Amino acid sequence: MRIPCPHCGERGNEEFLYRGVAGLARPAANAPDTQWHDYVYLRDNPFGSHRELWQHVHGCRRWLVVTRDTHTHTIADVADVATPAP
Amino acid sequence: MTYSFWRVAREALRGNTGWKPAWRDPVPKEHYDVIVVGGGGHGLATAYYLAKLHGITNVAVLEKGWIGSGNAGRNTTIIRSNYLLPGNEVFYEHSMKLWEGLEQDLNFNTMVSQRGVLNIFHSDGERDAAARRGNSMRLHGADGELLDAAQVRAMVPLFDFDNARFPIKGGLLQRRGGTARHDAVVWGYARGADRRGVDIIQNCEVTGIRVEAGRVRGVETTRGYIAAGKVGLACAGNTSRVAALAGLRLPIESHVLQAFVSEAIKPLVHTVVTFGAGHFYISQSDKGGLVFGGDIDGYNSYAQRGSLPIVEDVAEACMALLPCTGRLRVLRSWGGIMDMSMDGSPIIDRTPVDGLYLNAGWCYGGFKATPASGWCFAHTIAHNEAHAIIAAMRLDRFATGAIIDEKGAGAQPNLH
């Protein structure tokens, strides 16, 4: 699998660190335990399109949001986390 | 038909015309007392023990492909009970005991071979950890022996003992561990369940779970609606997808794990060996091929194939441990989808939906657990409560904080 980094171009996935699903809303520090449980442990784990975090640790070191199909590994979109979503 | 030496001799004299299919190919009934979703080792074992131990025989096992076509046919066939934590070790030792009597129980040759499982260590710190785990195993009634370098060398002389970075200092050996024949386990349980009246329905994918007033009523399938008193899920890597049909969201991510087999060679690895300086394990099949594997690829995946960086990583570990394999060719590699739980340990429990039960989160350790998983899941389904053996393997442990984090890696499924 190769990931097109917006800063470095297309690179092999071994250059990247994976950090799971992107966009989980972090609860407030005083939120109930159930909210923290859901945030820390529960995942949709979809078959198909998945927005996820990768860090280009052996390149520009930027965190990226990659939209990838978990069945075909086709990458639909890559954006720097600092880039606002359209 | 009971298999025996006399049966084989008789059939040999009659041109092998008397053998019958080992299980039926039934048409689904309208209603079952229990439906088990997933016709892998765990699902079939569950059906077998439901019928054998709990007298529940109006049972169907629904499998979307053919039985044993998922992870039951994709593992590295290792059996062992060398865990550290009490919540795990009691369960895996129960599984080990079931393995030891499985062939007699099933009247099927599952080729259980107690050739030993040897965890090699390379430093003083690893020796301490191995000694601690070995002590934990012995306290739970399992066997464990701490070997020094000379004893390891006597077992596996061609390993790289004087490697400059990872010298072999010794190993933790479980002699009762070993391997079993994965397909035979599936077939043995299928035959045993079928003989007790269980319907094994293949090419039947569950597409919906009907829940009314908080209670499961049945499942929609590609072969029509089937009503059920209780439904048990044993769907391995597809657990999240199937559980979502009942509105459940689980502490599981699906990841791909690869495994490899080399061309056949003369006996080289007489036991199961794990590398202490990287994630790598190797054994040798009865056909002579070296069977080995390493880490998961590390990102969510439902593709039953892996990527090349892990192939390279596994090959490097193999060379570091066994330099003599450098000219050996890899015959096949394959990938299976692992239900990676958030603490690296499995879940066998009820769910918030009445009558719906969950057997999941096996990470990449599901094969060795097959007998006990079925045994305990059958108990949970039959009695609507967990057996003492799996008292810790609860779905709500992530909410209560009583997680079973064998590796101490936290809620990072790709690190377990």
Side-chain angles (χ1 to χ4, degrees), chain B residues 9-87:
Chain B
R10 194 177 118 171
E11 291 302 326
L13 295 172
R14 296 184 175 192
N16 287 306
T17 53
W19 300 116
K20 298 283 186 297
W23 54 86
R24 298 162 294 129
D25 183 21
V27 174
K29 291 191 271 189
E30 287 183 0
H31 174 272
Y32 289 95
D33 294 338
V34 177
I35 286 178
V36 178
V37 183
H42 290 227
L44 292 163
T46 303
Y48 173 77
Y49 291 115
L50 274 172
K52 184 191 173 202
L53 301 177
H54 304 285
I56 302 171
T57 56
N58 186 23
V59 176
V61 177
L62 308 185
E63 166 55 45
K64 74 180 163 85
W66 64 92
I67 58 168
S69 60
N71 294 346
R74 294 164 187 270
N75 53 76
T76 46
T77 77
I78 297 164
I79 61 175
R80 58 186 172 87
S81 61
N82 55 0
Y83 283 73
L84 172 71
L85 299 179

Side-chain angles (χ1 to χ4, degrees), chain A residues 18 41 44-46 68 70 73, chain B residues 240 249 251 254 298 300-302:
Chain A
Y18 180 73
Y41 294 112
D44 289 335
N45 193 20
R68 180 180 61 93
T70 56
H73 294 176
Chain B
S240 293
R249 199 160 169 255
S254 296
N300 287 46
S301 175
Y302 283 96

Side-chain angles (χ1 to χ4, degrees), chain A residues 1-3 12-21 24 33-34 36-48 50 52-54 68-74, chain B residues 237-238 240-241 249-256 297-309 312 342-343 395-396 398-401 403 411-415:
Chain A
M1 190 167 75
R2 294 174 70 77
I3 298 173
N13 74 291
E14 69 272 26
E15 289 188 9
F16 296 81
L17 172 86
Y18 180 73
R19 199 50 131 187
V21 66
L24 287 177
D33 285 354
T34 52
W36 275 100
H37 165 262
D38 293 0
Y39 168 73
V40 175
Y41 294 112
L42 300 190
R43 298 290 180 266
D44 289 335
N45 193 20
F47 180 100
H50 190 231
E52 56 201 21
L53 289 167
W54 292 79
R68 180 180 61 93
D69 188 300
T70 56
H71 184 230
T72 63
H73 294 176
T74 309
Chain B
N238 286 301
S240 293
R241 298 173 69 193
R249 199 160 169 255
L250 300 174
I252 286 173
E253 280 183 7
S254 296
H255 287 252
V256 65
D297 277 36
Y299 46 83
N300 287 46
S301 175
Y302 283 96
Q304 287 175 312
R305 55 187 161 75
S307 61
L308 292 172
E312 186 177 16
M342 283 289 173
D343 61 356
L395 178 58
D396 68 359
F398 302 95
T400 61
I403 56 171
Q412 290 293 333
N414 60 343
L415 297 185

Side-chain angles (χ1 to χ4, degrees), chain B residues 73-307:
Chain B
R74 294 164 187 270
N75 53 76
T76 46
T77 77
I78 297 164
I79 61 175
R80 58 186 172 87
S81 61
N82 55 0
Y83 283 73
L84 172 71
L85 299 179
N88 275 331
E89 181 60 10
V90 175
F91 170 82
Y92 287 105
E93 177 56 18
H94 181 60
S95 204
M96 198 68 234
K97 291 198 174 84
L98 290 171
W99 281 116
E100 288 175 324
L102 193 63
E103 290 165 350
Q104 290 69 32
D105 186 21
L106 293 178
N107 178 233
F108 202 92
N109 184 7
T110 51
M111 295 169 67
V112 173
S113 164
Q114 294 182 288
R115 61 186 67 182
V117 171
L118 177 63
N119 306 133
I120 286 177
F121 50 76
H122 310 266
S123 67
D124 291 346
E126 281 192 331
R127 180 192 283 114
D128 290 346
R132 180 178 176 224
R133 186 151 54 88
N135 285 335
S136 174
M137 290 156 61
R138 294 171 72 113
L139 286 168
H140 286 94
D143 63 311
E145 288 170 51
L146 203 65
L147 306 187
D148 61 23
Q151 289 170 299
V152 173
R153 197 186 284 267
M155 288 186 73
V156 285
L158 289 175
F159 282 59
D160 191 2
F161 282 81
D162 303 316
N163 185 300
R165 284 184 73 191
F166 312 121
I168 294 174
K169 299 285 193 185
L172 175 63
L173 174 67
Q174 184 179 30
R175 290 190 192 276
R176 287 162 64 239
T179 61
R181 170 73 191 163
H182 54 300
D183 288 328
V185 175
V186 170
W187 299 333
Y189 274 121
R191 173 168 165 270
D194 180 89
R195 293 171 92 193
R196 287 168 173 80
V198 172
D199 283 358
I200 296 165
I201 299 162
Q202 305 183 75
N203 299 307
C204 180
E205 181 172 355
V206 169
T207 55
I209 298 175
R210 194 175 290 182
V211 178
E212 290 168 6
R215 179 163 186 89
V216 72
R217 296 294 174 192
V219 293
E220 309 280 354
T221 77
T222 49
R223 296 177 67 170
Y225 175 73
I226 308 174
K230 295 175 177 179
V231 174
L233 306 182
C235 313
N238 286 301
T239 295
S240 293
R241 298 173 69 193
V242 181
L245 299 174
L248 300 180
R249 199 160 169 255
L250 300 174
I252 286 173
E253 280 183 7
S254 296
H255 287 252
V256 65
L257 174 70
Q258 304 188 63
F260 309 84
V261 65
S262 77
E263 58 189 323
I265 53 172
K266 288 183 178 179
L268 172 70
V269 183
H270 310 293
T271 179
V272 179
V273 183
T274 68
F275 187 31
H279 196 163
F280 176 77
Y281 44 94
I282 188 166
S283 62
Q284 190 166 15
S285 78
D286 292 347
K287 284 191 289 190
L290 297 179
V291 182
F292 53 97
D295 261 326
I296 54 174
D297 277 36
Y299 46 83
N300 287 46
S301 175
Y302 283 96
Q304 287 175 312
R305 55 187 161 75
S307 61

